[in-house]
Amino acid sequence: MESSIILAAAFPPLSSSSHPVALLTDAAGAARAVRCRVADAERPVMCYAMGEGMFNAEEVFQWESGKSVNAIAAAQGIRVRRRCRPRHPSEGIGADRAVPRNILEQIIWDKEVEVAQRKARAPLQRVRESAEVKKASPTKGLLREHLDPVEIAHAYERNGAACLSILTDEKHFLGSFEDLEAVRNSGVNCPLLCKDFVIDVWQIYYARSKGADAVLLIAAVLPDLDIKYMLRVCTSIGMTALVEVHNERELDRVLKIDGVQLIGINNRSLETFEVDAANTNMLLEKHGDIIRKKRMQVVSESGLFTPDNVAYVQNAGVSAVLVGESLVTQEDPGRAIAGLFGKELVH
Ligand SMILES: O=P(O)(O)OC[C@@H](O)[C@@H](O)c1c[nH]c2ccccc12
């Protein structure tokens, strides 16, 4: 028990005034987590776990409340079920969980395995040490796996991209953290967004250590408490979070979370990968007022192929667009930026 508390003290990213107030135990009585109260938070923030590594806030809540992670997520309308996460004893391994229900669920199940393996290879302490390096601002852009990431990043930057998005998911997008690191080390000045499926704070520290300035947090995957916790982690290491939504329910949830500055509206459903170019405008028509009042910035993501597409979402009030496919599939992806905006962006 004592060593658990020391471990918690050795990892105080939320606030220097954090102090452990309770030790949470699992059904077998083993120490699972330390609950910390953060002095400047409105409510106590739960975090940290012992043993194999760290748990996310939602998992700690799970042990406290007796509810399964999937039950908590489902109550928030999240349809993606988690598979490998430490389960509450009340949650059996149902036969229905043998087969993913859609593309996003498949990606997340693969991500759980990948993160567990990566975590074992690079323990948090080491990642965090190398994580306290750079600062940046919000980002956009995209890099496709079949092109030289460094070359294309420079082409984007030369042609006026405000930021660069680098996919790091290997299995489903053929991206990599090596790509991210190579671009960072190649001398680009643009901020870099690590584009991945974050399910664990470990990934945020890891992205930072590889040179990312921002990470994507997907509301279709992360329950509210995880988003809140991850936003605090981002702030504590000088990173920006782009919080992505696809539908009204997700946007409603995200608008209630303090500290979200950057919302991405994905025109593509990650469950089906279908694109509805009108999605950004539809959501902004309904919620634009509150977004403006809260001074949040909106990025329209995916499926933008023509200057008309871009003008359409710009009229809806977005401050940025995130474009991948329509640039990387053209012979000169850098010049394709000018084509998409109907003008040269180079100053
Ligand atoms: O290639 P497109 O349609 O221009 O989309 C880019 C980007 O928006 C898309 O890749 C994306 C948006 N959100 C994501 C989440 C994970 C992986 C990828 C994405």
Side-chain angles (χ1 to χ4, degrees), residues 12-15 128 132 205 230-239:
L14 296 184
S15 155
R128 280 193 65 232
E132 305 166 328
Y205 289 110
M230 288 174 179
L231 284 171
R232 292 186 73 101
V233 168
C234 285
T235 304
S236 75
I237 55 174
M239 291 182 94

Side-chain angles (χ1 to χ4, degrees), residues 104 107 141-142 144 165 167 169 173 195-197 216 218 242 244 265-268 270 273 275 300-305 321-328:
L104 181 57
I107 292 173
L142 182 71
R144 291 286 278 238
S165 165
L167 268 160
D169 179 83
F173 290 87
K195 197 70 159 329
D196 210 319
F197 296 81
L216 186 73
I218 303 175
L242 174 60
E244 178 178 300
I265 298 182
N266 199 349
N267 298 313
R268 178 181 292 115
L270 290 172
F273 275 55
V275 171
S300 181
E301 304 175 355
S302 312
L304 304 172
F305 286 87
V321 291
L322 178 56
V323 185
E325 191 178 329
S326 72
L327 301 179
V328 295

